[in-house]
Amino acid sequence: MLSAKERIEFLKEQTFKTPELCTERAQYFKEAYEENECEPMPIIRARALEKLLLNCSTHIYENEVIVGHMTSKPKGGPLIPDVEWKWYMAEYFHDSGEREAEKVKSLTDDEEKYFVDLLSFWKGRALNDKWWAAVPDDYKETRGYVWEQGGGAPIDGQHIAHCIPGYERLLDWGVTGLLKKVDEKIASLDLTDVDQYQQLIYLRAMKISLNATVAFAERYAAEAERQAAAEQDPERKAELENMARVCRKVPAMPADNFHEALQSIWFMFTAIMLEGYGPGTGFGRMDQYLYKYYVNDLENGTFTRDQIKELISFLFIKMNETIMPSPIVSSGKSGGRAGIDLAPVQLGGITPGSKRNLCEDLTMLFLEAEDEVMLQEDMVFFIHNTISDTILLKGLEVAKHGKGKIKFVPQETIITQMMNAGKTFDEASNCALTACFLRTVPGISHDVGGDFFNVPMVLEMALNNGVCRATGKQFGPATGNAADFTSYEEVWQAFETQLEAALKPSITAMGLYMKMSGEMLPNPLLSSLYEGCIESGTDVVDGGTLYSTISVWCSGIPTVGDSLAALKKVVFEDKLFTMAEVMEAIDHNFEGYEPIQRALLNAPKYGNDVDFVDDIVNDVLVRVCDECMKYHCHGNRLFTGAGGAITSNISLGWRTGATPDGRKAGEPFSEGGMSPYQGRNTEGITATMQSICKMNYGNAIGGSVTNVKFDPANLDDPSKLRRLAALLRLYCAQGGDIIQFNFIDNETLKKAMEHPEQYRDLLVRVATYSAYFSNLSRAVQEEIISRTVETL
């Protein structure tokens, strides 16, 4: 057998295979829909998952220890036509739209014919077909201008996901314990009450799904036994026999050691993803809830510390074997998605019920494993005021090694946001992040994402009497000719009026999406791991959890703040130009109006610790988030606002005209969410952080994101990394939200653009995830290069 290091390197290499599309999920779901067409939808979905788990491929590949695959391919992506089916033909078939990024192995003519037959079954059955027919016309008309699909629109071809189930329930009770809870609830029902009878149907679906997950694990146990019988290497033979024992035990029964716990989690994660495949179904606070197994295994001699680190490494590698196909054309070919499941592992932060992290030795072990694996697995690192210098510095060292791989999150800020959304302090103390920036309480709260909302377009309409410049159409109410505005207050009032009107169609469409998703794509397996769902016999999407929110992802807030500040300074205070002159310059995209553009560019800019502009950016953030929170969604779900752009700052920027901050039409907005506009924060990292920390993130319950870029050579001196650690502590103490780093120089990035084959493993921080630079579109690559390079 290979050594531990050799085995890790071997398994890592397999993740660089060219991805292939897999039809198994789509095929078995199709057959189950046909066989059970008269059943209620929760039963149909449960039978579909059951058919898949009982018939899908069960490969155990060379050197694997943690087993379970979502596709039949070594590196594969499942088809998800139950959400949206047409885009596969547009982007993957011969003579179809070109995918500039995130490509997969080309299909043969025979494969294309099979795909067409399989995908066509979902016409009229897919969620997007019915949802798009139901949404308001003004929502359809403003697609790509006022809004773009984010975590909550079926156009993207993925399930809602963005959640963290309660894995502790699984580890403590096993599936048998969950089934007991389901049976107890069924026994309590009065079936003469039609509502309770509906609960019975849903609980039956839970039982089908849970039992199918156990059968899935038993199939892997049988495969491990088959391979063990033929294995000549005694070490591998013993390993396979133990793997078979583990798969026979979990997830059916509670886990008793670290290996069993990881395998149980992975089986359940795999089944949940196959039930409702979408981004960001996270693993939660693994160092916290796995700590008891870690301590017991070391005390009992079950595993050594190195063996546990190897198991963690195996899990990290498993997280890289599946891609998540999603349409690039639908997002304006921004091509900035990571391509993988974006299922984050949460590390650090205080232990619930304590004022400190009592698990830092296991936190350190996770960081050491990440330092060795360093693929695309998503990593979140909580910083609390009690964090030790040793752990904080290790987190930064690993992030620097991964070119910015880890996102750092001030836990005190998240706790405040969670409590503002109605959670108790103890619940909020157990918070974690799903993919991107959504914050939630695992197994208790279901907090998902909604549309990207184009805040600069709202300002454009405020300054153009409700008309979109790119289309010439009246998207918003008539708020007057901006050339006639005589005060900053009139500009702000027009912005507020347009904001109120622009948000409403998205609120309606997102509400429809949630309601129709609950009806058409229920999640009985996922729901079984949430407190409240078994007890109420209700799906997570339909309000079965104790708490639920949906966030509007607001793009370009700093761009709007810079624009408003420029108007206030240049027009209304310094009176360098009139509103009429500025509007004329914007109408002409500043062509021939360079003096006006220079004046606007020279106005104070966010990110330089200038209260004048920072206060206005905060006004925009708070006002947008407050507007979102006026509404509730299906299942009594609270709408929240988030300062998060992902890569929508590029695709929405393409369709937005010139803005009063001096930005020209078609150029990107400020990136990240709450990052200063690229290249405008010129006063150093301390000033940048000071500006960012002035924002009232307690109102931005959906989360806010800042990206910072360093040349890694600037941090070669250990004292510089210690200084960055001190700045992070200050950033957290002053109430910042998510901050993440790119530790990479522009020269390397430019070389990678010219010779991508030489940089296939070059990770960069895109948004709230890292991706291989060579897999990104040129527009995203150029935007990353344009970001300000900070120094210490």
Side-chain angles (χ1 to χ4, degrees):
M1 278 182 61
L2 300 176
S3 68
K5 184 176 181 180
E6 290 171 334
R7 177 144 65 167
I8 295 299
E9 290 303 314
F10 174 86
L11 291 171
K12 283 174 60 176
E13 185 63 27
Q14 307 313 302
T15 69
F16 289 102
K17 292 179 182 292
T18 301
E20 300 177 70
L21 296 177
C22 172
T23 61
E24 285 191 339
R25 183 186 182 278
Q27 179 62 43
Y28 289 125
F29 267 55
K30 171 182 178 292
E31 292 176 8
Y33 268 63
E34 291 172 327
E35 293 165 1
N36 299 277
E37 61 180 347
C38 294
E39 293 280 6
M41 188 53 70
I43 301 297
I44 292 176
R45 297 292 293 181
R47 291 298 184 197
L49 179 64
E50 177 187 53
K51 191 172 190 69
L52 173 62
L53 295 181
L54 292 181
N55 293 281
C56 65
S57 304
T58 51
H59 299 297
I60 296 178
Y61 293 102
E62 185 180 0
N63 286 307
E64 279 197 316
V65 174
I66 304 295
V67 299
H69 286 257
M70 299 179 201
T71 74
S72 60
K73 314 295 183 181
K75 179 83 177 241
L79 299 184
I80 320 167
D82 43 324
V83 180
E84 161 60 3
W85 59 278
K86 297 183 290 294
W87 77 268
Y88 294 98
M89 300 180 190
E91 296 193 36
Y92 285 132
F93 291 5
H94 295 311
D95 302 320
S96 63
E98 180 184 354
R99 282 177 70 88
E100 180 186 358
E102 300 165 23
K103 297 181 179 180
V104 301
K105 186 177 179 181
S106 298
L107 301 172
T108 66
D109 290 339
D110 288 342
E111 286 173 329
E112 279 198 13
K113 184 178 184 305
Y114 177 68
F115 271 54
V116 169
D117 292 342
L118 180 58
L119 293 170
S120 297
F121 169 80
W122 297 96
K123 181 179 180 180
R125 293 182 174 91
L127 174 60
N128 190 51
D129 287 357
K130 294 183 179 295
W131 172 77
W132 191 248
V135 296
D137 289 341
D138 51 358
Y139 182 76
K140 296 176 182 177
E141 187 177 49
T142 58
R143 177 186 175 186
Y145 297 95
V146 175
W147 67 273
E148 181 175 278
Q149 74 286 335
I155 294 170
D156 211 28
Q158 299 162 356
H159 291 79
I160 296 170
H162 287 94
C163 62
I164 304 178
Y167 289 113
E168 289 178 85
R169 290 160 68 93
L170 175 69
L171 297 180
D172 291 345
W173 302 343
V175 168
T176 53
L178 291 168
L179 286 169
K180 181 180 178 182
K181 296 283 185 183
V182 174
D183 285 336
E184 288 172 352
K185 177 61 181 177
I186 289 174
S188 73
L189 295 175
D190 176 4
L191 301 185
T192 64
D193 182 328
V194 68
D195 291 334
Q196 293 191 49
Y197 188 79
Q198 289 294 116
Q199 292 179 30
L200 172 65
I201 293 171
Y202 193 80
L203 292 165
R204 283 177 51 217
M206 279 187 176
K207 291 188 67 173
I208 294 167
S209 303
L210 286 165
N211 282 316
T213 305
V214 172
F216 180 60
E218 289 176 343
R219 293 182 65 222
Y220 272 96
E223 176 60 17
E225 289 165 350
R226 186 192 68 78
Q227 290 193 21
E231 181 58 55
Q232 299 301 308
D233 184 307
E235 288 185 63
R236 180 60 174 169
K237 184 181 184 72
E239 192 171 62
L240 285 163
E241 289 172 343
N242 184 59
M243 289 159 59
R245 180 197 64 79
V246 170
C247 295
R248 292 284 182 204
K249 180 177 181 182
V250 296
M253 304 301 293
D256 288 317
N257 63 44
F258 210 91
H259 184 183
E260 292 174 1
L262 289 187
Q263 184 62 74
S264 184
I265 292 166
W266 184 254
F267 274 140
M268 185 58 71
F269 172 76
T270 299
I272 285 172
M273 289 294 287
L274 290 172
E275 177 185 54
Y277 211 97
T281 301
F283 292 95
R285 306 185 65 184
M286 297 195 85
D287 56 348
Q288 304 287 327
Y289 65 76
L290 291 175
Y291 187 68
K292 63 183 179 182
Y293 303 102
Y294 170 74
V295 170
N296 289 338
D297 287 352
L298 293 184
E299 289 179 352
N300 299 334
T302 306
F303 296 111
T304 66
R305 191 176 186 278
D306 285 344
Q307 288 171 326
I308 291 175
K309 183 173 75 171
E310 187 180 19
L311 287 168
I312 295 170
S313 298
F314 291 150
L315 177 69
F316 288 169
I317 293 169
K318 292 292 289 182
M319 293 164 64
N320 289 269
E321 69 188 14
T322 311
I323 65 163
M324 182 170 293
S326 62
I328 290 177
V329 168
S330 73
S331 59
K333 293 190 177 180
S334 64
R337 296 173 175 84
I340 61 168
D341 299 336
L342 298 175
V345 171
Q346 184 87 48
L347 301 177
I350 59 172
T351 301
S354 170
K355 295 182 178 180
R356 301 188 64 86
N357 178 1
L358 304 179
C359 316
E360 282 200 348
D361 47 344
L362 182 54
T363 307
M364 179 66 78
L365 198 61
F366 269 92
L367 288 171
E368 290 174 6
E370 169 62 15
D371 206 21
E372 293 181 5
V373 173
M374 203 58 72
L375 295 170
Q376 277 190 275
E377 63 282 351
D378 198 21
M379 193 69 56
V380 180
F381 192 85
F382 265 174
I383 302 176
H384 190 268
N385 60 23
T386 62
I387 191 172
S388 71
D389 289 338
T390 301
I391 287 291
L392 180 53
L393 282 169
K394 182 64 176 180
L396 283 170
E397 288 170 0
V398 175
K400 182 171 178 282
H401 176 207
K403 306 296 187 293
K405 178 76 183 302
I406 299 174
K407 48 192 165 195
F408 295 88
V409 186
Q411 191 180 21
E412 288 97 333
T413 298
I414 309 300
I415 289 173
T416 298
Q417 293 167 333
M418 292 277 91
M419 294 179 68
N420 286 348
K423 282 82 167 176
T424 68
F425 176 80
D426 287 344
E427 290 167 341
S429 297
N430 195 33
C431 57
L433 261 65
T434 68
C436 302
F437 44 82
L438 295 171
R439 50 282 332 264
T440 191
V441 182
I444 291 178
S445 186
H446 191 241
D447 304 285
V448 300
D451 286 346
F452 290 112
F453 185 61
N454 187 346
V455 186
M457 178 58 72
V458 174
L459 180 61
E460 177 174 306
M461 292 188 293
L463 298 176
N464 203 36
N465 204 21
V467 175
C468 168
R469 294 184 184 278
T471 65
K473 294 181 179 179
Q474 188 81 34
F475 282 172
T479 46
N481 185 350
D484 298 331
F485 290 170
T486 58
S487 68
Y488 175 78
E489 288 68 28
E490 286 184 82
V491 176
W492 180 256
Q493 184 177 359
F495 174 76
E496 287 191 301
T497 301
Q498 296 294 343
L499 172 65
E500 292 172 3
L503 188 60
K504 287 180 180 178
S506 278
I507 294 294
T508 300
M510 285 184 274
L512 280 170
Y513 172 44
M514 297 303 293
K515 188 175 191 304
M516 296 175 75
S517 182
E519 293 169 351
M520 296 178 63
L521 305 175
N523 307 271
L525 181 62
L526 172 66
S527 299
S528 70
L529 291 184
Y530 271 91
E531 186 176 342
C533 290
I534 292 177
E535 293 80 359
S536 64
T538 307
D539 193 84
V540 291
V541 174
D542 291 329
T545 55
L546 299 184
Y547 309 99
S548 57
T549 64
I550 179 170
S551 68
V552 182
W553 295 353
C554 302
S555 185
I557 287 174
T559 294
V560 172
D562 281 351
S563 296
L564 290 170
L567 289 176
K568 188 174 186 179
K569 181 69 173 172
V570 171
V571 176
F572 300 113
E573 291 190 1
D574 294 350
K575 302 186 186 302
L576 299 178
F577 299 97
T578 65
M579 275 295 288
E581 289 171 325
V582 172
M583 290 301 99
E584 185 176 352
I586 290 175
D587 287 341
H588 291 83
N589 199 26
F590 300 115
E591 299 294 337
Y593 296 82
E594 285 75 14
I596 295 179
Q597 185 185 25
R598 280 196 299 272
L600 296 170
L601 287 169
N602 289 335
K605 293 293 182 284
Y606 169 69
N608 296 292
D609 194 17
V610 179
D611 288 345
F612 176 84
V613 61
D614 296 345
D615 289 347
I616 292 175
V617 174
N618 186 57
D619 288 345
V620 177
L621 173 67
V622 171
R623 183 65 187 86
V624 170
C625 291
D626 285 351
E627 187 65 26
C628 294
M629 290 184 68
K630 286 168 53 176
Y631 301 99
H632 279 76
C633 190
H634 171 66
N636 201 33
R637 188 178 297 267
L638 175 69
F639 273 101
T640 64
I646 312 297
T647 57
S648 69
N649 66 306
I650 299 172
S651 49
L652 289 174
W654 284 342
R655 302 179 179 97
T656 304
T659 42
D661 58 340
R663 170 194 155 274
K664 299 189 78 170
E667 292 181 351
F669 306 147
S670 48
E671 54 83 28
M674 294 307 299
S675 303
Y677 195 94
Q678 298 84 308
R680 291 181 182 170
N681 48 322
T682 58
E683 298 302 311
I685 182 62
T686 302
T688 297
M689 287 186 166
Q690 290 280 56
S691 287
I692 294 163
C693 287
K694 293 175 190 175
M695 304 299 108
N696 183 0
Y697 295 117
N699 279 55
I701 293 171
S704 297
V705 183
T706 296
N707 292 323
V708 176
K709 187 164 75 172
F710 285 101
D711 186 328
N714 180 248
L715 298 172
D716 284 345
D717 184 342
S719 66
K720 295 287 187 73
L721 209 59
R722 288 194 293 272
R723 185 182 172 198
L724 181 56
L727 278 173
L728 265 180
R729 285 189 183 277
L730 181 62
Y731 177 83
C732 296
Q734 292 186 344
D737 205 326
I738 296 174
I739 188 167
Q740 48 204 14
F741 304 98
N742 256 317
F743 296 108
I744 194 162
D745 62 282
N746 282 343
E747 183 180 352
T748 298
L749 294 176
K750 290 174 182 177
K751 289 179 180 177
M753 289 178 73
E754 296 173 6
H755 305 286
E757 72 284 353
Q758 298 177 20
Y759 294 86
R760 65 170 191 169
D761 59 349
L762 177 62
L763 282 169
V764 294
R765 173 59 64 175
V766 180
T768 39
Y769 55 83
S770 289
Y772 295 121
F773 191 71
S774 60
N775 283 349
L776 302 174
S777 70
R778 192 171 186 87
V780 176
Q781 291 174 337
E782 290 173 346
E783 191 276 322
I784 292 170
I785 290 173
S786 74
R787 298 175 188 176
T788 301
V789 180
E790 302 281 9
T791 59
L792 283 172

